[in-house]
Amino acid sequence: MSLLDQTFRQAGGRVISALAASFRDLDVAEEAFAEACTRAVEKWSDAPPADPAAWLYAVARRWALDRYRRRATAAAWRPDDAPPEPTPEDLVMAMDNPIPDERLRLIFVCCHPAVAPEARAALTLRTVCGLTTAEVATAFLLPEPTLAQRLVRAKRKITEAGVPFDIPTPDRWPERMDAVLSTLEVAYAQAHADAALAGPHADFAREILHLTDLLARLVPDDPEVLALAATVRFTEARRPARLAADGAMTPLADQDVRDWNAELCIQAERLLSSAAALAHRNRRPPGPRALQAAIHAVHADRRRLGLIDWRAIVGLYDALLTLRDDPVVHTNRAIAVAEVQGQAAALSLLDAAPQPAWLPWRAARADMLARLGRGREAVAEYDAALALQPSPAEALFLAARRAASVSA
C-alpha cells in the first residue's frame, strides 16, 4: 500500500471534515482534498512529507482559498481562521473532551440533526469513513444515483443553513445517536463482509471494536449502544474460524466453535445482559440492535449446546421485522426458516422480496436451489452472485459451491 493510499484511508475523513468545518461547504472540502491527493501523486514520489495528513490539509486549504479568490468573493466571505498551535493549557483541556476519540467525534459532528434522517449516516460514511458512493449505496440497498442525490441534497442543506461542524455536548447526543449507531453498523459491515480482511476497509474491524467499546463507556444507559457493542464482539469472536485452509470463507453454521474467541463472546454476553436489564428497568421493548444481538447470542450458544436453536432465531427475526422491515432482515429470516420449514418454504420467502443486485440474497437463493436439487438453476444463481464482485474469500466459497452444484 502506498503512503498516499494509507493516508487517504486513515486520515481522509479527518482532513475533509476539517476543511468542511472551515469552509462550511462539503463540496468544496471534497474537491480541495481530491486536488491535494492529485498533487501528492506528483510530489510524494520524490520527497514524501513527514506528516502526510497535515500536508494534504495545507495543500487543500490553499487550493480552496485560491478558488474563492478567483471567484472574487474573498472580500464578502472569509473562512474560519486556521486553528493556532495548541498551548500546554489547550492540551490539558482536551483531556476533558466528552468524546475522546477523533473518528467518533467526527461521526457525531456529521450526524447533524439538520440533515435529513435518511441521509445522515450515508453522508457520514462518505465523508468521515471514506466509503465510495457506490459502497454506501450498496450498504443501504439503494441505486447509486438515488444515494448520490441524497448526498447532494444533504450537502446543499449544510451549505445553505450554515450548519456548524461543531462537537455536540452530551445533552445533544440522543438526537444524533441513531445515525451514529447506523454509521458504525455499516462501517463494520464493510469489514465483516471481508472474511480475510484483505480489502480496503479491513481496519474498520479493529476500529469499530474500539469505538463501540468507547461508546458503551460514554453512554452506558442506552440499551441500543450496548447491544451494538455486543453484536460487534459476537461477530469478531468468530473471525478466527471464518477462513478455511484454502482461504475460502466458512459459513457461520459450519464454523468450528473451538476456534472462536471465548473472551469476546463473554464480553458480548455481558453487554447484551446489561442492555436487556436496562430495557426491562425502563419498561421498554427490545430495540432492533438488541434483537440483532440476541440472534448472535443464540448462535453463540452453540459453544455450550452443540446445536443452533433455529426456531428461536426465526422468532427473533419475526420480532425484528416489526421494527426493520427491510430486505436484509427478510433474507436472513428466510435462511433461518430453511432450517425449520425446509428449503422450498424459504425459497418462496426470498422470491417474494427479490433483491437481485444484492449479493447475500443471490448467495442464499443459490444455496437453497442447490439443496433442492435444482442444480442448473443454482449454477446460474451462483454465476450471478460471483458477478457482483464478492470479497476474495467469499468468491472462493461461492465458486466451490457452484462446482458442487455442477457435479450434483
Side-chain angles (χ1 to χ4, degrees):
M1 182 188 302
S2 70
L3 177 62
L4 180 57
D5 287 338
Q6 183 178 358
T7 306
F8 182 90
R9 294 177 187 178
Q10 294 178 352
R14 171 160 51 94
V15 174
I16 291 173
S17 297
L19 292 166
S22 177
F23 291 93
R24 299 290 193 269
D25 191 318
L26 271 176
D27 283 328
V28 169
E30 290 177 341
E31 289 176 31
F33 181 66
E35 179 64 25
C37 289
T38 299
R39 296 185 185 183
V41 172
E42 303 168 357
K43 301 288 186 182
W44 290 9
S45 58
D46 297 328
D51 189 336
W55 190 98
L56 288 173
Y57 175 76
V59 171
R61 181 177 172 81
R62 282 198 300 271
W63 181 90
L65 286 170
D66 288 344
R67 169 178 165 155
Y68 278 103
R69 291 188 183 108
R70 287 194 301 271
R71 289 183 176 181
T73 58
W77 177 92
R78 183 176 182 274
D80 293 348
D81 292 332
E85 288 296 317
T87 65
E89 292 79 11
D90 292 331
L91 295 174
V92 172
M93 290 297 292
M95 294 174 63
D96 293 327
N97 194 304
I99 308 176
D101 183 273
E102 182 177 56
R103 175 95 77 172
L104 191 58
R105 284 200 299 272
L106 291 174
I107 291 172
F108 267 96
V109 166
C110 288
C111 288
H112 198 286
V115 178
E118 68 273 11
R120 289 176 201 167
L123 181 65
T124 308
L125 287 160
R126 181 73 185 86
T127 304
V128 179
C129 300
L131 271 64
T132 65
T133 302
E135 287 172 331
V136 179
T138 298
F140 287 98
L141 302 182
L142 291 171
E144 187 173 346
T146 300
L147 191 281
Q149 282 300 312
R150 286 189 182 180
L151 295 179
V152 168
R153 286 195 296 270
K155 288 188 283 188
R156 184 183 302 131
K157 170 71 173 179
I158 288 171
T159 301
E160 292 175 352
V163 173
F165 279 72
D166 53 5
I167 300 171
T169 53
D171 62 304
R172 310 298 295 181
W173 292 356
E175 64 188 2
R176 307 187 187 206
M177 189 60 72
D178 189 66
V180 169
L181 295 179
S182 294
T183 299
L184 295 176
E185 281 181 294
V186 175
Y188 177 71
Q190 300 297 309
H192 180 67
D194 179 13
L197 292 182
H201 305 304
D203 58 327
F204 284 172
R206 175 183 50 79
E207 187 166 3
I208 302 303
L209 194 66
H210 160 69
L211 292 181
T212 52
D213 174 68
L214 175 59
L215 197 55
R217 295 172 187 271
L218 291 173
V219 195
D221 57 350
D222 188 328
E224 289 288 272
V225 169
L226 302 183
L228 178 58
T231 292
V232 172
R233 275 145 189 79
F234 276 130
T235 48
E236 278 304 292
R238 301 193 296 261
R239 189 171 292 281
R242 293 192 68 202
L243 284 183
D246 63 354
M249 182 192 74
T250 302
L252 172 54
D254 296 337
Q255 292 172 11
D256 188 337
V257 298
R258 294 172 296 182
D259 292 333
W260 291 356
N261 185 316
E263 178 56 33
L264 281 177
C265 285
I266 292 170
Q267 291 177 20
E269 288 164 353
R270 288 173 179 166
L271 285 162
L272 183 56
S273 177
S274 296
L278 278 170
H280 178 74
R281 188 182 314 142
N282 297 327
R283 298 182 179 180
R284 293 184 198 166
R289 296 176 183 89
L291 290 169
Q292 288 177 314
I295 291 167
H296 285 286
V298 175
H299 281 289
D301 279 342
R302 184 157 66 91
R303 294 181 303 136
R304 292 183 284 265
L305 303 176
L307 52 83
I308 301 172
D309 187 346
W310 288 108
R311 292 186 183 277
I313 290 176
V314 171
L316 288 166
Y317 274 123
D318 288 342
L320 185 55
L321 271 176
T322 66
L323 302 176
R324 283 187 176 177
D325 188 356
D326 62 37
V328 177
V329 180
H330 277 283
T331 298
N332 288 328
R333 180 180 179 276
I335 293 170
V337 166
E339 303 298 329
V340 177
Q341 300 177 24
Q343 307 299 324
L347 185 60
S348 296
L349 292 174
L350 281 184
D351 289 345
Q355 290 293 321
W358 189 46
L359 198 151
W361 183 87
R362 285 286 191 190
R365 192 170 190 276
D367 180 64
M368 291 174 192
L369 288 168
R371 294 190 184 194
L372 287 168
R374 295 160 62 176
R376 183 175 299 178
E377 294 172 85
V379 168
E381 203 64 57
Y382 279 122
D383 286 339
L386 287 164
L388 294 173
Q389 300 181 325
S391 67
E394 190 171 11
L396 285 172
F397 165 76
L398 293 171
R401 289 293 177 93
R402 181 194 184 279
S405 298
V406 170
S407 60

